Amino acid sequence: MAKVKIALVTGASSGIGEATAQRLATAGYRVYGTSRRGVQAGKRPFEMLALDVTSDESVTAAVSEVIGREGRIDLLVNNAGFGVAPAGAEESSIEQARSIFETNFFGLIRVTRAVLPQMRGQGSGRIINISSVLGFLPMPYGALYAATKHAVEGYSESLDHELRTRGIRVSTIEPAYTKTPFDANFIEPDVKLDEYREARAAVSRRVNEVIGNRRIAGCGRRHRIEGGKRDASENSIHSRQAREPPATSTQVCARRPGRCRDSKGPPA
């Protein structure tokens, strides 16, 4: 009998993280979701653990707990993150810029580094990093968030090349506008300037309209993840393809949203 696969999903209290954890549980994974408080609110098909991605101690404790219980981690989904409300780049202080990078980028690295020794010891594993279309497209009045996601892209693709010979693969998922509570957790720019007041208001209105209409830009593709006795062939995040490195055959979106091109190379 095949062993049940173990998944760890950060930022699983709501939105894409919660939906991902639920789908993985349905697919047969034993799933551990995390949030800063780890509150088990309502009935979920997975357990919630406390994990603050900005704390070395918190990350080590949560990962050690999962490994202590299960003896392995087969899949890590790095989803925890937040955004700054639409604003000019100069309206955020250096401290605010450091804060968003600490969660969205360094937090992802922190959890990945905690899990990798176990995956290397197993000789297998999968890491999926939730990026964004803003990881490969610019967004005026969203510079800091876009910068963190560009960083996630470069880190993830480089890491995949390092780890593929060890049985570990790294992918990114790049959602566009998705109807989740993500925008409810925006932090306001901490150095608001009157010069950007009208632009802030206009961009905020447009973002709210798009999210409310569930509009999703770019290409769509189904992502299949196998685990346990079932597979998650119904799992679908309509986004730019979670990019395989150049040495694989894959479909990626062109720089203009809504268009696709095929990028093919020899098998890895």
Side-chain angles (χ1 to χ4, degrees):
M1 180 180 294
K3 291 183 179 179
V4 174
K5 291 189 176 181
I6 309 302
L8 177 64
V9 181
T10 68
S13 60
S14 64
I16 289 174
E18 182 180 26
T20 299
Q22 289 176 338
R23 287 296 186 93
L24 288 169
T26 300
Y29 280 77
R30 183 170 297 130
V31 180
Y32 292 88
T34 78
S35 69
R36 281 175 297 175
R37 291 175 294 277
V39 178
Q40 189 79 34
K43 296 185 66 175
R44 290 189 173 103
F46 57 91
E47 183 174 350
M48 288 290 290
L49 302 176
L51 187 155
D52 179 354
V53 299
T54 68
S55 164
D56 291 342
E57 294 77 13
S58 178
V59 169
T60 298
V63 170
S64 296
E65 182 171 353
V66 174
I67 294 173
R69 292 190 195 183
E70 306 293 347
R72 62 186 297 112
I73 295 177
D74 299 287
L75 171 64
L76 168 65
V77 181
N78 280 308
N79 173 71
F82 71 91
V84 177
E90 66 174 310
E91 294 186 284
S92 288
S93 65
I94 291 296
E95 290 72 20
Q96 191 166 64
R98 287 195 181 104
S99 176
I100 190 171
F101 265 90
E102 187 62 43
T103 295
N104 293 10
F105 182 55
F106 293 115
L108 178 150
I109 293 176
R110 192 173 279 112
V111 180
T112 299
R113 292 187 72 252
V115 167
L116 274 179
Q118 178 64 37
M119 288 186 172
R120 282 192 289 100
Q122 296 166 188
S124 65
R126 183 80 177 194
I127 299 171
I128 297 178
N129 293 328
I130 305 300
S131 181
S132 168
V133 293
L134 301 184
F136 64 95
L137 292 173
M139 180 183 172
Y141 306 102
L144 288 183
Y145 183 78
T148 66
K149 294 305 183 179
H150 274 71
V152 167
E153 296 282 325
Y155 175 78
S156 300
E157 294 189 23
S158 300
L159 188 63
D160 181 67
H161 281 285
E162 295 177 14
L163 297 176
R164 58 167 63 185
T165 58
R166 302 178 187 275
I168 304 166
R169 298 306 302 265
V170 182
S171 297
T172 59
I173 302 293
E174 295 157 335
Y177 295 112
T178 307
K179 193 171 185 179
T180 73
F182 180 76
D183 58 318
N185 297 317
F186 280 163
I187 62 172
E188 291 295 322
D190 55 2
V191 191
K192 287 186 178 181
L193 301 174
D194 192 58
E195 288 85 347
Y196 293 103
R197 178 174 52 81
E198 292 184 5
R200 280 199 309 270
V203 175
S204 294
R205 282 195 302 270
R206 185 57 181 151
V207 168
N208 289 334
E209 288 171 4
V210 172
I211 292 176
N213 291 330
R214 295 184 178 186
R215 286 183 54 190
I216 300 176
C219 306
R221 187 179 177 102
R222 290 188 181 274
H223 299 272
R224 178 168 176 152
I225 302 172
E226 297 183 353
K229 297 180 180 178
R230 301 177 59 184
D231 67 71
S233 57
E234 295 303 312
N235 278 4
S236 175
I237 296 178
H238 293 276
S239 67
R240 190 175 181 230
Q241 165 70 15
R243 287 183 289 181
E244 297 290 348
T248 66
S249 174
T250 186
Q251 183 186 64
V252 297
C253 285
R255 290 283 169 173
R256 185 182 304 172
R259 295 181 58 191
C260 296
R261 60 184 169 81
D262 286 330
S263 174
K264 296 183 178 181

